Amino acid sequence: MKTHTTGEQKHNFFRATAIIITVLLSAALSVYFLLAFYYRGGFGLNTWINGVYCTGKTVEEVNEELLYAAEAPVIVLMTQKNGFTDCIRLEDFEFSCEYLPALEEYVEESNSLLWLDNITLHKNHYILPQITYNEGKFREAFENSLSVLSYSQTEEGCSLQYSDEEGWTFYNGLEGRLDVDKAFELIQTSLEKGQGEIVINLDGLDCFYDVPMDDEQLKIKEVWERLDAFQHIGIIYDMGDEQIRLSDFPGLVGAFIKREYREDIGGGMDYPVISSDGRFIPDETAVEEFISELADIYDTYGRERQFQSTRGDLVTIPAGGTYGTKLNQEAEVEYLMEKLQEDDALRVIQLHVPEYEKQGMVRGKDDIGDTYIEIDMTQQKMYYYEDGELVIETDVVTGNTSRRMGTPEGVNYVYNKQKNRILRGEGYASPVKFWMPVKGSIGIHDASWRSEFGGEIYKTNGSHGCINTPLDVMEELYDLVETGTPVIMFY
């Protein structure tokens, strides 16, 4: 009897539990389907569209919020090739947008029975509006933008062009022509996919085409390829402290070719003069002008100079000395005229040291260098610098200024060295042990007849123009100085 009671109790428990579960499931299903019915024709739980929370709102309400946040697209049109950037604002062309069709389509396609997924799954959807604008006015603004005009207004053809700055260049209006219709279609497609700022690189769009060249244009291109090779000539002028690579100056090299205006080619253009054997004919006048300009820059002989003195000031030394550099312009014109007609000059790097009529110990604009003799006639001092280091400093006596025998200023050089020489002049014969002439009969030598040097001796008891130097200093200087060493003389 006891066992029967226990079994009946278990049976009643399970039956009660089943009833409760059934009731709960029925209630849950009722709630589920009631909410599914509630969300039908609207936005499901936890639904976001374009950043707007939509649950519980009507399509019209969501549309209004989206329109409030909408921005008219700004097309930033650019071309890196031609360097232009344009901003075209669609709001200037009767722009409007509408989200209702897209929202209604979204609601229609939504399955309200899946609302339960939204409890744990945040749904943020993005929809595109239906936009309208005045296409004609927008097209006009597009076609008149600098980016488009830089392509569409270029002439369809090819030609050789010459300028003093760039030399010979080749205009090719047959390659990379812009298909404006196709470009505009691609721009319109971009509008449908975004808002705000839309950056479009015109160069990157698939809207360019090439026009085939005819026989005459192919010949012009062939001549251009030869001109381009010519302007990349391999000659490098070695001017000492600087090198001049001619290919760095296409305007200069381009001028070396004679040119004429040909009306019979491509409607008329500048054209190089070509010999019967197919070579470019060099323009000797242009070559002469280049060599003359080179001389103007690098020649120092016979010109005024600026010199930083040991005493500290910048001294202006007048022209007229014996030292300096002077290009042999005639020889250089002949050299370059020959090279301009050689194929190797156009292909092979050639370092050319020019010929000189006169040449200093150092080549370059500063041909004095850092080894020289400096004679300061105001302070009656002589200095010898070797590789930039002061080696000798001494008092001297220069030309007698009261007798109008003052030592002349100038940049000269030691052109000879002699020992045990008798210096002769009107009314005198002076034996010296060391003699270094620098300009005519004026030189640097010892003066054993003097017991004092420096000061103002030169004003009343100076030399006949030479630089009198103590014997022990002169002996040392003689051994150190090489023939050709610059001698800078100034007051």
Side-chain angles (χ1 to χ4, degrees):
M1 190 72 178
K2 185 177 180 180
T3 302
H4 172 75
T5 302
T6 302
E8 184 177 350
Q9 288 175 342
K10 288 182 178 180
H11 175 74
N12 291 336
F13 173 76
F14 286 122
R15 186 175 65 178
T17 300
I19 292 171
I20 292 171
I21 291 173
T22 300
V23 171
L24 290 175
L25 285 174
S26 298
L29 287 172
S30 297
V31 171
Y32 177 82
F33 284 107
L34 283 171
L35 287 175
F37 179 80
Y38 172 76
Y39 291 128
R40 186 183 64 177
F43 300 100
L45 178 67
N46 204 20
T47 296
W48 294 74
I49 295 179
N50 294 13
V52 172
Y53 185 68
C54 304
T55 304
K57 297 177 182 177
T58 65
V59 169
E60 289 74 15
E61 289 173 334
V62 174
N63 179 61
E64 186 176 344
E65 289 192 45
L66 290 175
L67 288 176
Y68 180 78
E71 295 181 17
V74 176
I75 306 296
V76 179
L77 193 62
M78 60 183 294
T79 163
Q80 293 172 323
K81 178 180 179 181
N82 294 329
F84 294 108
T85 301
D86 303 277
C87 287
I88 304 176
R89 302 179 182 278
L90 222 63
E91 65 183 12
D92 297 333
F93 308 106
E94 304 168 22
F95 170 80
S96 67
C97 67
E98 183 62 66
Y99 286 91
L100 274 176
L103 290 171
E104 290 171 349
E105 182 180 355
Y106 171 83
V107 170
E108 185 177 341
E109 293 178 354
S110 298
N111 189 346
S112 61
L113 293 174
L114 300 179
W115 67 267
L116 196 61
D117 290 345
N118 291 4
I119 294 177
T120 57
L121 182 63
H122 179 84
K123 289 190 175 181
N124 190 3
H125 302 275
Y126 185 79
I127 64 173
L128 294 172
Q130 185 179 78
I131 64 173
T132 59
Y133 54 89
N134 188 317
E135 184 175 325
K137 292 183 179 180
F138 177 56
R139 171 69 181 252
E140 183 180 355
F142 171 75
E143 291 182 354
N144 288 317
S145 66
L146 292 175
S147 300
V148 173
L149 289 176
S150 66
Y151 281 106
S152 62
Q153 286 193 345
T154 56
E155 181 182 351
E156 185 176 307
C158 64
S159 61
L160 298 174
Q161 299 176 352
Y162 176 82
S163 70
D164 293 336
E165 294 76 24
E166 299 181 21
W168 291 97
T169 56
F170 179 61
Y171 170 75
N172 188 350
L174 300 175
E175 294 181 352
R177 295 199 65 80
L178 176 66
D179 186 333
V180 178
D181 292 335
K182 189 173 182 180
F184 185 68
E185 290 176 5
L186 293 173
I187 299 297
Q188 285 184 301
T189 302
S190 299
L191 287 177
E192 297 171 359
K193 296 180 179 179
Q195 297 181 28
E197 186 175 89
I198 303 172
V199 179
I200 299 174
N201 183 358
L202 194 62
D203 302 329
L205 298 182
D206 183 20
C207 55
F208 293 90
Y209 65 95
D210 296 338
V211 178
M213 288 187 177
D214 59 27
D215 291 342
E216 182 181 273
Q217 291 164 341
L218 287 171
K219 183 178 179 180
I220 294 172
K221 184 180 180 182
E222 180 185 352
V223 173
W224 156 245
E225 289 171 350
R226 292 175 55 208
L227 282 171
D228 189 41
F230 186 94
Q231 291 183 152
H232 285 85
I233 190 169
I235 296 174
I236 301 173
Y237 273 80
D238 182 355
M239 304 307 296
D241 56 354
E242 293 180 323
Q243 291 186 348
I244 301 174
R245 185 183 296 267
L246 293 187
S247 60
D248 290 341
F249 306 94
L252 168 69
V253 180
F256 290 160
I257 300 175
K258 281 188 176 181
R259 62 184 183 275
E260 59 185 350
Y261 188 78
R262 295 277 298 272
E263 295 184 353
D264 59 320
I265 297 178
M269 67 180 72
D270 280 325
Y271 211 75
V273 179
I274 302 174
S275 66
S276 58
D277 61 354
R279 297 178 183 274
F280 297 129
I281 297 179
D283 187 332
E284 187 168 0
T285 300
V287 172
E288 289 173 347
E289 288 176 355
F290 164 66
I291 297 300
S292 176
E293 290 175 4
L294 208 61
D296 286 342
I297 295 172
Y298 290 96
D299 280 4
T300 59
Y301 177 75
R303 294 184 178 179
E304 182 179 277
R305 291 178 182 256
Q306 299 293 313
F307 177 76
Q308 185 62 50
S309 69
T310 300
R311 70 192 184 201
D313 59 338
L314 188 65
V315 180
T316 299
I317 303 175
T322 60
Y323 182 84
T325 298
K326 184 177 181 181
L327 278 176
N328 186 333
Q329 295 191 41
E330 184 177 345
E332 286 307 301
V333 169
E334 182 178 349
Y335 161 81
L336 192 52
M337 286 292 291
E338 290 178 359
K339 286 296 180 181
L340 292 176
Q341 298 177 76
E342 294 180 5
D343 290 339
D344 284 348
L346 305 180
R347 297 192 303 267
V348 182
I349 299 298
Q350 302 181 45
L351 195 63
H352 173 62
V353 177
E355 290 190 33
Y356 298 91
E357 292 184 18
K358 293 183 177 293
Q359 185 174 342
M361 289 191 71
V362 179
R363 290 190 308 111
K365 294 177 183 177
D366 179 16
D367 59 357
I368 291 175
D370 53 12
T371 297
Y372 56 87
I373 297 172
E374 175 185 347
I375 300 172
D376 183 339
M377 293 177 288
T378 297
Q379 297 192 353
Q380 293 291 286
K381 288 282 189 179
M382 180 168 68
Y383 309 92
Y384 173 62
Y385 285 88
E386 187 172 277
D387 296 328
E389 297 293 330
L390 179 60
V391 177
I392 293 176
E393 177 181 352
T394 183
D395 292 332
V396 293
V397 175
T398 61
N400 191 325
T401 55
S402 66
R403 298 178 61 187
R404 297 183 179 180
M405 294 180 179
T407 305
E409 294 182 280
V411 178
N412 303 299
Y413 70 98
V414 176
Y415 66 85
N416 197 5
K417 292 172 65 176
Q418 290 182 321
K419 291 183 178 180
N420 301 316
R421 170 79 184 271
I422 297 178
L423 305 179
R424 301 180 184 276
E426 186 177 346
Y428 72 91
S430 303
V432 299
K433 293 186 176 181
F434 304 99
W435 166 242
M436 295 193 307
V438 298
K439 183 180 182 181
S441 60
I442 295 175
I444 306 170
H445 60 79
D446 53 287
S448 57
W449 56 88
R450 291 188 182 278
S451 59
E452 293 183 5
F453 296 85
E456 296 187 350
I457 297 172
Y458 74 104
K459 292 182 177 180
T460 56
N461 190 26
S463 70
H464 292 85
C466 289
I467 298 90
N468 293 176
T469 308
L471 176 60
D472 58 336
V473 175
M474 192 63 211
E475 182 176 9
E476 180 184 4
L477 185 68
Y478 187 91
D479 290 337
L480 292 173
V481 172
E482 297 179 5
T483 301
T485 299
V487 181
I488 300 95
M489 305 158 66
F490 59 89
Y491 286 94

